[in-house]
Amino acid sequence: MLISGRGSNLQALIDAFGPQVPGSPVRIVLVLSNRADARGLERAARAGLRTAVIDHKSFSTRDDFDSAMDREIRAAGAEFVALAGFMRLLTARFVTSWQDRMINIHPALLPAFPGLDTHKRALQAGVRFHGATVHFVRHETDIGPIIAQAAVPVLPGDDEQTLAARVLEAEHRLYPFALRLVAEGKVRVEEERVTIAAANFASSAVLNPAGPV
Ligand code: GRF
């Protein structure tokens, strides 16, 4: 799990898949941060997980930083990478070497609102629904085959904070839901689209852990 800050999504993943969960389909072998002050590191330590900090500022190139991360990740025995609020752009080399084995959560219904300030931009655009997306990582920022999405309504009177809080709550359900699908081998990427192999996933509403709005 790669983080840079608060780590509330990390916490949701720890709650779902941490060492305290018997029979978890995911084993978290490393929580890696590019910032020593990331609050998520405390959450990881509290759960008894291995942590590491690799400060991007100690490297002169992105490639050197990504290589150092890659070594640490592989040394921990990881087979899969989950970005959870990791705020650095990744090099093509790193992304390619984890192709279809690295996922990210983005606080918008992609392909709408890639990048930063998604809640502000959603309010400015006047959309009636906003939400979050878990997707495989590709070199372009916030692009990649979509695994699952959660939609929330934009309500009259919402400001950036209220909307962000509603989306974050949905994120905390969505990320464990999506990672579980992948870990249980139910997700296939074909021609840059995801298909979910599961008996009773007839409607896309079933894929929305927030439930129909
Ligand atoms: C979340 O909104 C996530 O979607 C985005 O960064 C934020 C991280 O929050 N990629 P947290 O660190 O998980 O609390």
Side-chain angles (χ1 to χ4, degrees):
M1 313 263 157
L2 265 53
I3 60 166
S4 296
R6 177 177 60 181
S8 70
N9 277 287
L10 171 70
Q11 187 65 58
L13 295 173
I14 291 172
D15 293 345
F17 306 118
Q20 80 288 354
V21 180
S24 166
V26 174
R27 189 158 64 87
I28 305 172
V29 292
L30 176 69
V31 174
L32 174 57
S33 173
N34 65 309
R35 298 179 54 121
D37 62 356
R39 264 174 50 208
L41 287 170
E42 291 158 36
R43 300 178 191 267
R46 216 178 306 131
L49 297 170
R50 169 169 166 180
T51 62
V53 176
I54 299 184
D55 183 351
H56 60 276
K57 293 195 288 302
S58 336
F59 298 85
S60 49
T61 67
R62 279 190 195 277
D63 214 26
D64 289 347
F65 170 62
D66 283 7
S67 301
M69 282 204 305
D70 193 67
R71 277 195 300 278
E72 187 77 31
I73 293 167
R74 289 179 201 277
E79 296 167 352
F80 199 89
V81 175
L83 307 179
F86 182 72
M87 298 304 287
R88 301 294 302 168
L89 296 176
L90 296 164
T91 56
R93 186 139 77 121
F94 184 89
V95 171
T96 306
S97 73
W98 290 95
Q99 167 101 1
D100 294 342
R101 291 184 302 138
M102 176 159 60
I103 62 177
N104 178 48
I105 186 158
H106 180 72
L109 293 172
L110 292 173
F113 311 121
L116 299 173
D117 295 327
T118 55
H119 310 308
K120 189 165 148 194
R121 286 156 60 210
L123 287 169
Q124 275 165 359
V127 293
R128 296 294 184 247
F129 290 93
H130 187 38
T133 304
V134 175
H135 63 96
F136 285 103
V137 176
R138 294 294 183 260
H139 185 44
E140 299 87 338
T141 309
D142 302 324
I143 286 193
I146 290 170
I147 301 164
Q149 295 185 302
V152 301
V154 180
L155 300 176
D158 263 342
D159 58 21
E160 228 178 304
Q161 282 70 37
T162 56
L163 185 55
R166 196 173 307 122
V167 171
L168 193 63
E169 208 185 304
E171 288 185 44
H172 296 161
R173 290 193 298 268
L174 180 69
Y175 211 172
F177 173 85
L179 182 53
R180 181 178 301 277
L181 286 177
V182 177
E184 289 178 347
K186 292 179 176 152
V187 169
R188 260 186 312 145
V189 183
E190 273 165 21
E191 295 176 2
E192 291 301 89
R193 274 196 297 273
V194 164
T195 50
I196 310 281
N200 54 357
F201 276 10
S203 86
S204 61
V206 181
L207 277 176
N208 185 346
V213 181

